[in-house]
Amino acid sequence: MRRLLFPLLLLAAVELRPQPLEPVRWSLTFEPASVRPGSRVLGRLTAHMEPGWRVYSMTTPRPPIATTVEVTPHPAIASVRIYQPEPARKLDPNFGNPNPTR
């Protein structure tokens, strides 16, 4: 019985190890997909989130950490403008009520 129990416990321990959390997956697409030199291109960075997960906007004031987007300098990139939709404003319960009288 002991010979059978040890491998089963070992197998259970290996199978129950925590999996890495990856609740947000990012994708980057370009419109148009191919361009000639000197042309403009729109890059669309999209976050695909599991239900219940959120990211902070790029304009979020501290204490939370705002989402940041950086473009590595490259000779093919003359300039970059970053646009974002109007953020949905919601109270984050992790930071308490900003107006405790309510």
Side-chain angles (χ1 to χ4, degrees):
M1 180 69 176
R2 281 187 173 170
R3 287 185 181 194
L4 181 61
L5 187 59
F6 180 72
L8 288 176
L9 288 175
L10 184 61
L11 181 62
V14 169
E15 291 301 315
L16 295 176
R17 70 178 181 263
Q19 298 298 313
L21 255 178
E22 294 185 24
V24 181
R25 293 176 315 280
W26 296 91
S27 65
L28 178 62
T29 58
F30 294 99
E31 298 169 16
S34 64
V35 295
R36 296 190 321 224
S39 300
R40 292 181 180 212
V41 64
L42 174 66
R44 186 176 307 271
L45 181 64
T46 306
H48 304 275
M49 294 173 270
E50 291 182 8
W53 286 87
R54 305 285 183 267
V55 294
Y56 292 108
S57 77
M58 293 186 292
T59 57
T60 299
R62 289 229 173 253
I65 299 172
T67 299
T68 57
V69 176
E70 294 181 6
V71 178
T72 304
H74 190 277
I77 302 172
S79 66
V80 174
R81 281 191 228 161
I82 298 177
Y83 303 96
Q84 72 173 351
E86 186 67 29
R89 299 187 183 276
K90 296 181 182 176
L91 176 64
D92 186 335
N94 295 309
F95 297 104
N97 187 349
N99 187 354
T101 60
R102 289 187 180 176

